[in-house]
């Protein structure tokens, strides 16, 4: 069984300090949370950035500032910027981080109701556009799927040449409007991807650690972090992204799964450090 790659989604675009005071906004806060996660065992830092007041932004200059600072503190970490951005952003606005030529970036594979009147829009043409950009810039996409239909879309666009093999999926489970976080649905998604594909599971809220455990046992990989879950246990706010990563490391140790270093994660995912 491959070693376990842990991704830390340190901030997201939706959670705020009102939800948990340690949610990072500023450069210094992002570096703190990334380094705590990295030191705890995360190989990949999944990155959204904010203005200092917490407003989500896809500005490439802000991304560069934060990515450079994280890389200085965590020199071999894989920094994976989000191209999801926030609801209402244009495609070109969302794609700005790809102009920095990261090793990886996320590619969302379908449209989702985010609750209320919010719609996270990813049309087929949007997905093609993002996929082609990543091929041109030699960026490995992490295919974010919130439902089975999004896996089908990714497979169809792979056949058309917009996504390369081997594919790497991120099952985001338990989001309002998406697939549930049950073990039944995890198995459904897991059995729907190609044999040569890798995957990470991002369980939202109370689903984070049960799904992490399932992925550890199955041979998949795990994403945790304040973007997905604010609590270390029921009713207890986490003190940091590092604490969430530490819990996954403990689970993996109990289940006999070793943790991948960044170098080992690159080998598993077919990446070359830039």
């Amino acid at each position: 069984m491959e070693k376990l790659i842990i991704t830390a989604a340190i901030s997201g675009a939706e959670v705020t300090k009102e939800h948990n005071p340690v949610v990072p906004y500023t450069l210094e806060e992002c570096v703190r949370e990334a380094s705590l996660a990295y030191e705890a065992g995360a190989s990949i830092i999944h990155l959204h950035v904010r203005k200092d007041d917490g407003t989500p932004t896809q500005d490439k200059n802000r991304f560069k500032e934060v990515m450079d600072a994280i890389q200085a503190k965590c020199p071999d970490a894989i920094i994976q910027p989000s191209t999801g951005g926030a609801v209402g952003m244009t495609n070109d606005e969302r794609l700005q981080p790809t102009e920095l030529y990261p090793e990886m970036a996320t590619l969302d594979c379908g449209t989702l109701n985010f609750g209320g009147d919010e719609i996270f829009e990813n049309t087929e043409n949007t997905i093609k556009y993002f996929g082609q950009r990543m091929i041109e810039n030699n960026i490995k996409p992490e295919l974010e799927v919130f439902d089975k239909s999004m896996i089908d879309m990714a497979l169809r666009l792979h056949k058309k040449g917009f996504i390369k093999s081997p594919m790497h999926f991120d099952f985001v489970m338990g989001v309002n409007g998406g697939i549930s976080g049950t073990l039944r649905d995890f198995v459904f998604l897991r059995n729907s991807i190609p044999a040569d594909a890798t995957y990470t599971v991002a369980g939202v809220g109370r689903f984070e650690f049960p799904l992490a455990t399932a992925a550890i046992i199955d041979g998949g990989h795990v994403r945790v972090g304040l973007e997905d879950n604010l609590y270390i246990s029921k009713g207890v706010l986490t003190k940091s992204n590092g604490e969430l990563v530490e819990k996954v490391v403990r689970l993996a140790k109990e289940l006999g799964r070793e943790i991948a270093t960044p170098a080992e994660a690159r080998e598993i995912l077919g990446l070359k450090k830039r």
Side-chain angles (χ1 to χ4, degrees), residues 95-214:
L95 278 169
Q96 286 183 82
T98 64
E99 297 172 24
L100 302 172
Y101 304 101
E103 297 171 81
M104 295 185 78
T106 56
L107 197 170
D108 294 283
C109 293
T111 295
L112 188 73
N113 287 325
F114 259 173
D117 292 322
E118 288 197 344
I119 299 174
F120 181 35
E121 187 175 297
N122 294 283
T123 67
E124 181 173 356
N125 286 339
T126 292
I127 302 164
K128 288 179 177 178
Y129 184 42
F130 281 45
Q132 190 61 45
R133 172 70 67 86
M134 293 188 194
I135 289 171
E136 290 168 357
N137 290 354
N138 196 28
I139 299 167
K140 186 176 181 77
E142 180 171 85
L143 304 168
E144 286 201 340
V145 296
F146 297 80
D147 213 334
K148 164 65 163 59
S149 61
M150 299 188 190
I151 293 177
D152 297 337
M153 174 66 79
L155 297 178
R156 189 160 59 249
L157 295 186
H158 163 64
K159 288 180 180 178
K160 293 183 177 181
F162 293 97
I163 297 169
K164 287 186 173 182
S165 289
M167 291 181 277
H168 177 67
F169 291 86
D170 180 25
F171 305 151
V172 186
M173 303 183 68
V175 173
N176 183 25
I179 201 165
S180 81
T182 62
L183 186 59
R184 176 202 64 183
D185 287 345
F186 164 72
V187 172
F188 183 40
L189 296 184
R190 170 68 184 90
N191 290 337
S192 299
I193 63 174
D196 67 343
T198 51
Y199 75 87
T200 289
V201 171
V204 173
R206 64 187 177 88
F207 298 112
E208 184 164 78
F209 293 110
L211 286 172
T213 303

